[in-house]
Amino acid sequence: MSGPFPPPAQPITRRTALGLAAAAPLAAALACRREPPPPAGTVVPLAALPVGERVRLLHGEQPVELLREADGRVTARSLWCTHVGCEVAWSEEQSAYLCPCHDGRFGADGAVLGGPPTRPLRTLAPILRDDHLILPFESG
Ligand code: FES
């Protein structure tokens, strides 16, 4: 005697049913997998960062320099002097960041070279997403 539906290709055994039950949450998790939402921050297209060129921008009120390396890494450095907070500027001739307020000097890596500052220039941690970079705003 046959019903209105054709018989299943394979009988569903207890083992098959358990396997399907175990696979269902995984399939659901994969279907729902997304990148976490990007943090709030300054968004910069990578196309705006030519390799080897120092790009200054404002991150909130903070002047920041972005430097994209040939290997794809991007260094984000605060340009606020760690002495009293004047804005430093990169000097190609002196290979140093120079502070106009009290003659503070910082090396290419942000380390103090001279003057009153005692702490290096601060670096930020940019997040690379596809074709852009995000400088997250700090909370607190
Ligand atoms: S604020 Fe830069 S050296 Fe004083």
Side-chain angles (χ1 to χ4, degrees), residues 81-88 99-106 114-117:
C81 180
T82 55
H83 179 224
V84 185
C86 294
E87 182 174 344
V88 301
C99 180
C101 292
H102 312 104
D103 295 326
R105 294 169 40 89
F106 301 86

Side-chain angles (χ1 to χ4, degrees), residues 42-66:
T42 303
V43 177
V44 183
L46 284 177
L49 303 175
V51 172
E53 240 180 70
R54 297 173 188 276
V55 175
R56 179 198 177 275
L57 55 81
L58 283 178
H59 174 51
E61 295 180 1
Q62 180 176 198
V64 170
E65 178 194 83
L66 299 175

Side-chain angles (χ1 to χ4, degrees), residues 86-98:
C86 294
E87 182 174 344
V88 301
W90 175 254
S91 164
E92 204 64 55
E93 294 136 19
Q94 299 189 38
S95 293
Y97 294 94
L98 307 177

